[in-house]
Amino acid sequence: MKLVRFGKFGSEKPGLIDADGNVRDLSGVVSDIAGDVLGRESLERLRAIDPASLPMAPAGERLGACVGSVGNFIAVGLNYADHAAESGMPVPAEPVLFNKAPSCIGGPDDTILIPRGSERTDWEVELAVVIGSRATYVSEAEALDYVAGYCICNDISERSYQLDRGGQWTKGKGCPTFGPLGPWLVTTDEIDASDLAMSLSVNGERVQHGSTATMVFKVPFLVHYISQFMILEPGDVITTGTPPGVGMGMKPPRFLKTGDRMEVSIDGLGTQRQSVAQG
């Protein structure tokens, strides 16, 4: 099942994608794709609905982030060995965790804004995990039972803020528009996230390509591991790291500028298309 949110920013309605790729309006059934709606029993009820019984969403409506009311937006750093190498950093012995501000979340095709004074705004295609039920001290074997589904995240990063401003990665990761999610939240019954091809293009040039199969720490371990340090609530998002090809790793380095266009894809999870403007 592919779930979406559509409409103006801050006023999105819940929806699902039917077999023909149309957006169907779920607002008569649930208030949002958020919180307890992401639990297993709730998803089973949504799955039982005949999409043809739902009204069509208005044509051409903006797609918002595919999950709403995100509490924790947790990111995993250096989770691909080849990306760690291009960053000049060792592969970590345990997952590197940092926070992205929930206020940076946007729709899959929303404009990316370069922060004021930034000269090193970068891209990162990532698989994001959406939590479906409250998780604390879960085992690795049971971890996927707590996952509602998966989506694409473009983990936009300002490298000088991240690396040169006192060592807190969060500074370069949570600026406005730095967390587009979607287009779809694909539930776990529909996709196996262990080996998905992923790519990112800038102005038509493919700069990143890889597979979730090459993650250092896999999704079940990440959910288990993070749940040892915090309670994960329904609707929380974990974005799981990026393969090589980021601008910082190029020779010479290359960063986003006004007018650039990105296309971000993961097999089975759709494609994001974003333009870049000055914030």
Side-chain angles (χ1 to χ4, degrees), residues 43-50:
L43 292 179
E44 287 296 334
R45 288 193 293 270
L46 295 182
R47 199 172 286 116
I49 295 172
D50 177 6

Side-chain angles (χ1 to χ4, degrees), residues 128-182:
V129 178
V130 179
I131 298 298
S133 56
R134 198 171 199 258
T136 180
Y137 297 111
V138 304
S139 70
E140 185 175 356
E142 296 175 332
L144 291 184
D145 294 341
Y146 295 83
V147 173
Y150 305 97
C151 64
I152 300 171
C153 174
N154 189 355
D155 178 19
I156 303 294
S157 310
E158 210 298 329
R159 300 303 188 188
S160 60
Y161 298 177
Q162 176 189 356
L163 301 172
D164 304 330
R165 298 291 296 272
Q168 296 295 321
W169 285 17
T170 297
K171 294 176 183 176
K173 295 286 191 169
C175 301
T177 73
F178 272 27
L181 297 176

Side-chain angles (χ1 to χ4, degrees), residues 30 54 83 96 112 137 147 175 246 255 263:
V30 294
L54 299 170
H83 171 58
V96 173
I112 302 299
Y137 297 111
V147 173
C175 301
V246 300
F255 298 107
E263 198 163 284

Side-chain angles (χ1 to χ4, degrees), residues 237-254:
V237 174
I238 303 168
T239 189
T240 59
T242 197
V246 300
M248 178 178 64
M250 294 182 170
K251 300 187 185 310
R254 173 181 170 187

Side-chain angles (χ1 to χ4, degrees), residues 102-241:
S103 58
C104 81
I105 293 172
D109 302 331
D110 290 350
T111 299
I112 302 299
L113 299 177
I114 297 174
R116 297 174 188 177
S118 165
E119 296 181 352
R120 298 172 65 193
T121 297
D122 206 345
W123 56 80
E124 295 188 10
V125 55
E126 303 200 3
L127 171 74
V129 178
V130 179
I131 298 298
S133 56
R134 198 171 199 258
T136 180
Y137 297 111
V138 304
S139 70
E140 185 175 356
E142 296 175 332
L144 291 184
D145 294 341
Y146 295 83
V147 173
Y150 305 97
C151 64
I152 300 171
C153 174
N154 189 355
D155 178 19
I156 303 294
S157 310
E158 210 298 329
R159 300 303 188 188
S160 60
Y161 298 177
Q162 176 189 356
L163 301 172
D164 304 330
R165 298 291 296 272
Q168 296 295 321
W169 285 17
T170 297
K171 294 176 183 176
K173 295 286 191 169
C175 301
T177 73
F178 272 27
L181 297 176
W184 317 312
L185 167 58
V186 182
T187 52
T188 55
D189 62 300
E190 189 166 318
I191 197 162
D192 176 358
S194 63
D195 186 8
L196 300 175
M198 51 204 310
S199 66
L200 186 147
S201 298
V202 180
N203 299 327
E205 175 190 356
R206 190 170 72 164
V207 292
Q208 281 192 280
H209 54 91
S211 169
T212 59
T214 64
M215 283 183 183
V216 177
F217 303 107
K218 312 300 185 185
V219 169
F221 180 80
L222 290 172
V223 174
H224 151 72
Y225 181 84
I226 295 168
S227 78
Q228 311 305 304
F229 299 99
M230 65 186 74
I231 296 171
L232 295 170
E233 299 284 4
D236 285 354
V237 174
I238 303 168
T239 189
T240 59

